[in-house]
């Protein structure tokens, strides 16, 4: 079982997040691997453990800081780490990012075929959830997205996905791109031995030229969308907090009535 | 295909075979931008649905009768592509499935996409969409070059019928569906939550750890205010209430006019799913709970004391 997991460097959710020149500000001191990608790494590790053989690759694309995301995957138990680091990638939209990831995946796949690519369901900084679909389309592999359960066998993968109107069971031949929800599993914690090993582990550094990707086809220049304005929302004005000393419910009702909400 | 001037395509969202309210909101938004044309996937629409779409301004209902094939994002995307060749802008309701469908569509047409938008307008002939991001702490405006697709969140436009409603004409769309590698082998319908769906509710009353699993008061207030019942991840993890009720970044994102958080501390994942709500009310025993940082009105106290009194006071006010 050979599985590649795509992981993303995202700002710490608890930190103040912001924009610089129309793109999300990402710095190493307050960021790590996107939390929902932990479920993807966990799914890959469990499948390899159950198969009794195989390898897990962690792949990220981004600036120098993004290496923290693949190091986190190594700490959790991934065997290999790849970092596509090229200034020309900056400002890519989801389609540009998918093209770069797909080129890196093909490079791994062509040397030794992969069975699966696993991703998280969304990145907690962007949350568009479009990347897994774009990646499956770009690779022209099977698309099994939003998996709440995942089984692999006999050359197929089968998932159950929970949509608002129905629970769908979907099956498709390998290789497949699978995105997993946080319902699928409970990610493990890194153990001390792996943390120490991850520090010294080699991270493969690839450029767009290594992947045969034309720099002009990705990045801000090729993006179909451009952020033209970004500004922090003002905090809520006239905030009222009362302590209930026997009249809290009446105060709440009065507030709702005054606002025309009751 | 069309005689519509500046057609703005709107993908129709169905619930139990009827047009869902967010579609009427999207048609209302589309009227401010051009001539709305509705795109209908699945089985043939009935006369009531066509009449309602016309009432909200749709000049045409373009029907791709692809039945259950609409469950496949790549096939749905191909059908929409065939139905929207003349439209510079497509509006869809921002759901997980629609995000997959429009991604497939954009891969084939080269369109630019913004999802989870609160609104959209034309600026100098180009589409600009606005969103709130980072758990609703920032406002962002994004320009889309060329053909555009915008996923719009429910409750961001107030649905209203057109001033001069017309009868929508039905335009059949023929489409060559692409083969897919995937096969949907089972579809198990989910029992729908009674009343208004969480994502579209104008009022959401949510309960968290502080309920101890007792949702009677939360439900009573929700019913009184005509709203839906939500929950925190803690509560759904405990099994107190089903996952369909979970408000948060990986559950349902809500933007009601009123959000009432009962016994919810306000973890960052929860705030990300409700922080863009109009008015936020919080009830919590812990004065340091993060939910109080983002509320308009907060009560430090027990929801088991505060809610019954508030419910009686609202009833008394209405009776007066």
């Amino acid at each position: 079982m050979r599985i590649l997991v795509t992981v993303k460097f995202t700002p710490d959710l608890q930190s103040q997040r912001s924009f610089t020149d129309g793109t999300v500000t990402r710095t190493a001191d307050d960021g790590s691997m996107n939390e929902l990608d932990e479920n993807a790494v966990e799914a890959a590790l469990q499948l390899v453990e159950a198969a009794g053989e195989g390898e897990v690759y962690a792949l990220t694309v981004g600036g120098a800081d993004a290496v923290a995301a693949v190091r986190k995957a190594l700490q959790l138990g991934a065997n290999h780490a790849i970092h596509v680091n090229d200034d020309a990638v900056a400002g890519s939209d989801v389609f540009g990012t998918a093209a770069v990831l797909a080129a890196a995946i093909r490079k791994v796949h062509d040397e030794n075929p992969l069975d699966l690519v696993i991703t998280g369901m969304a990145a907690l900084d962007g949350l568009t959830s479009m990347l897994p679909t774009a990646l499956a389309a770009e690779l022209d592999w099977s698309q099994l997205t939003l998996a709440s359960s995942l089984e692999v066998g006999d050359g197929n993968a089968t998932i159950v996905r929970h949509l608002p109107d129905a629970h769908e069971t979907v099956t498709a031949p390998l290789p497949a791109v699978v995105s997993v929800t946080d319902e699928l599993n409970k990610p493990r914690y890194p153990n001390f031995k792996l943390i120490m090993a991850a520090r010294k582990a080699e991270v493969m550094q690839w450029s767009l030229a290594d992947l045969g990707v034309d720099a002009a086809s990705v990045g801000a220049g090729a993006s179909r969308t451009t952020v033209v304005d970004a500004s922090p929302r003002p905090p809520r004005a006239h905030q009222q907090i009362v302590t209930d000393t026997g009249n809290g419910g009446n105060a709440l009702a009065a507030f709702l009535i005054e606002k025309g909400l009751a | 295909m069309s005689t519509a001037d500046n057609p703005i395509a709107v993908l129709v969202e169905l619930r139990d075979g009827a047009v869902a309210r967010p579609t009427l909101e999207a048609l209302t938004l589309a009227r401010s931008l051009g001539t709305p044309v509705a795109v209908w996937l699945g089985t043939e629409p009935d006369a009531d649905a066509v009449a309602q779409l016309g009432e909200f301004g749709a000049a045409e209902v373009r029907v791709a009768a692809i039945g259950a094939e609409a469950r496949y994002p790549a096939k749905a995307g191909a059908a929409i592509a065939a139905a929207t060749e003349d439209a510079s802008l497509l509006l869809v309701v921002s759901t997980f499935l629609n995000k997959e469908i429009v991604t497939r569509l954009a891969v084939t047409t080269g369109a630019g996409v913004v999802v989870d938008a609160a609104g959209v307008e034309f600026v100098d002939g180009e589409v600009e969409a606005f969103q709130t991001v980072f758990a609703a702490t920032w406002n962002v405006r994004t320009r889309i070059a060329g053909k555009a697709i915008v996923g719009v969140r429910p409750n961001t436009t107030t649905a209203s019928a057109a001033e001069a409603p017309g009868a929508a004409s039905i335009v059949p769309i023929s489409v060559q569906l692409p083969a897919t590698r995937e096969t949907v082998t089972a579809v198990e319908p989910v029992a729908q939550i009674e009343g208004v769906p969480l994502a579209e509710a104008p009022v959401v009353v949510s309960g968290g750890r502080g309920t101890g699993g007792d949702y009677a008061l939360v439900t009573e207030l929700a019913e009184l205010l005509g709203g839906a019942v939500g929950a925190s991840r803690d509560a759904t993890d405990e099994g107190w209430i089903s996952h369909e009720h979970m408000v948060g970044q990986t559950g349902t994102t809500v933007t009601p006019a009123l959000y009432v958080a009962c016994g919810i501390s306000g973890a960052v994942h929860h705030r990300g799913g409700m922080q863009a709500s109009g008015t936020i009310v919080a009830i919590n025993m812990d004065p340091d709970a993060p939910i109080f940082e983002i509320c308009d009105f907060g009560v430090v106290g027990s929801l088991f004391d505060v809610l019954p009194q508030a419910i009686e006071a609202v009833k008394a006010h209405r009776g007066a």
Side-chain angles (χ1 to χ4, degrees):
Chain A
M1 184 81 62
R2 286 170 47 79
I3 303 174
L4 183 145
V5 181
T6 61
V7 296
K8 185 178 184 185
F9 178 80
T10 56
D12 183 343
L13 282 179
Q14 306 289 352
S15 71
Q16 290 294 321
R17 292 172 284 178
S18 63
F19 277 82
T20 308
D21 299 332
T23 60
V24 177
T25 309
R26 299 188 172 93
T27 58
D29 55 348
D30 65 352
S32 180
M33 186 172 87
N34 171 40
E35 207 179 307
L36 290 167
D37 294 344
E38 290 180 22
N39 298 93
V41 174
E42 181 65 35
L45 295 172
Q46 286 186 12
L47 284 168
V48 166
E49 285 161 6
E53 54 81 30
E55 289 180 300
V56 176
Y57 290 78
L59 165 66
T60 196
V61 52
D65 300 332
V67 75
V70 284
R71 291 235 182 255
K72 178 68 185 285
L74 290 169
Q75 291 176 2
L76 292 169
N79 308 100
H80 308 284
I82 303 164
H83 177 199
V84 179
N85 183 1
D86 197 309
D87 292 344
V89 178
S92 293
D93 62 9
V94 64
F95 305 104
T97 303
V100 174
L101 288 171
I105 290 165
R106 274 192 219 102
K107 186 172 160 78
V108 175
H109 185 68
D110 289 348
E111 279 171 21
N112 192 350
L114 293 162
D115 297 294
L116 291 170
V117 166
I118 304 183
T119 77
M121 67 183 287
L124 287 174
D125 64 340
L127 269 182
T128 71
S129 295
M130 292 165 57
L131 182 86
T133 304
L135 191 54
E138 183 75 32
L139 287 166
D140 200 14
W141 289 10
S142 303
Q143 174 187 340
L144 297 168
T145 35
L146 298 173
S148 294
S149 80
L150 168 63
E151 282 173 32
V152 181
D154 298 329
N156 290 299
T158 301
I159 65 159
V160 174
R161 59 196 226 129
H162 294 171
L163 297 175
D165 69 324
H167 295 176
E168 287 181 350
T169 306
V170 190
T171 190
L174 305 178
V177 175
V178 177
S179 79
V180 302
T181 70
D182 54 351
E183 290 179 276
L184 179 73
N185 55 38
K186 204 163 165 44
R188 66 193 66 185
Y189 292 101
N191 73 42
F192 181 73
K193 208 175 125 203
L194 286 171
I195 291 174
M196 296 311 286
R199 276 194 199 158
K200 287 185 232 146
E202 188 207 349
V203 175
M204 287 174 264
Q205 297 275 342
W206 292 351
S207 67
L208 291 184
D210 294 331
L211 300 177
V213 173
D214 176 9
S217 68
V218 298
S223 176
R224 304 173 192 178
T225 52
T226 312
V227 173
V228 290
D229 185 48
S231 51
R233 277 161 72 94
R236 289 178 184 265
H238 311 301
Q239 197 192 34
Q240 300 174 55
I241 309 279
V242 301
T243 299
D244 182 30
T245 52
N247 233 346
N250 287 330
L252 170 55
F255 172 80
L256 295 177
I257 291 161
E258 181 203 323
K259 291 273 176 189
L261 294 167
Chain B
M1 178 188 308
S2 166
T3 54
D5 194 29
N6 189 19
I8 308 295
V10 175
L11 177 64
V12 177
E13 199 67 22
L14 295 175
R15 186 160 300 108
D16 298 330
V19 177
R21 202 170 57 104
T23 297
L24 305 179
E25 296 169 1
L27 283 170
T28 306
L29 177 60
R31 285 209 312 273
S32 70
L33 302 166
T35 306
V37 294
V39 178
W40 182 288
L41 306 184
T43 51
E44 299 277 352
D46 61 27
D48 286 352
V50 175
Q52 189 182 26
L53 294 169
E55 200 182 311
F56 281 80
E60 298 173 6
V61 182
R62 299 180 180 173
V63 179
I66 60 171
E69 304 281 3
R71 289 209 159 268
Y72 293 85
K75 295 181 181 188
I80 298 167
T84 60
E85 278 168 13
D86 60 339
S88 57
L89 171 63
L90 166 69
L91 301 179
V92 303
V93 181
S94 220
T95 65
F96 276 113
L97 181 59
N98 283 347
K99 288 174 187 178
E100 296 183 356
I101 291 171
V102 301
T103 304
R104 285 281 173 177
L105 172 61
V107 165
T108 57
T109 64
V113 186
V114 173
V115 295
D116 294 330
V120 55
E121 62 189 22
F122 281 102
V123 176
D124 302 328
E126 288 201 285
V127 173
E128 289 190 6
F130 20 103
Q131 300 161 283
T132 60
V133 301
F134 299 157
T137 55
W138 281 66
N139 291 325
V140 174
R141 178 177 274 270
T142 305
R143 183 173 301 155
I144 305 172
K147 217 170 160 68
I149 301 169
V150 177
V152 187
R153 279 193 168 151
N155 280 324
T156 47
T157 300
T158 305
S160 63
E163 279 179 22
S169 56
I170 295 180
V171 181
I173 302 293
S174 62
V175 52
Q176 195 75 36
L177 294 178
T180 56
R181 289 183 170 75
E182 309 83 30
T183 310
V184 177
T185 56
V187 178
E188 181 197 334
V190 175
Q192 294 299 300
I193 298 170
E194 294 259 329
V196 53
L198 188 57
E200 302 161 24
V203 174
V204 174
V205 183
S206 287
R209 185 156 292 283
T211 64
D214 180 356
Y215 275 76
L217 288 166
V218 168
T219 305
E220 189 179 349
L221 182 63
E223 284 172 1
L224 183 66
L225 299 176
V229 173
S232 67
R233 169 115 203 207
D234 271 356
T236 58
D237 281 355
E238 289 284 351
W240 292 341
I241 188 164
S242 70
H243 184 81
E244 280 72 28
H245 290 273
M246 190 179 94
V247 172
Q249 286 190 325
T250 61
T252 302
T253 297
V254 299
T255 46
L258 172 65
Y259 189 86
V260 184
C262 308
I264 292 176
S265 62
V268 64
H269 288 85
H270 186 77
R271 298 206 308 266
M274 46 64 73
Q275 196 157 348
S277 302
T279 297
I280 297 173
V281 168
I283 305 160
N284 203 293
M285 298 280 278
D286 176 7
D288 297 322
I291 193 79
F292 286 127
E293 293 164 20
I294 59 157
C295 73
D296 298 284
F297 189 89
V299 183
V300 180
S302 164
L303 66 96
F304 294 102
D305 297 330
V306 174
L307 287 182
Q309 192 179 60
I311 288 166
E312 286 317 308
V314 168
K315 283 182 180 167
H317 166 74
R318 289 186 183 174

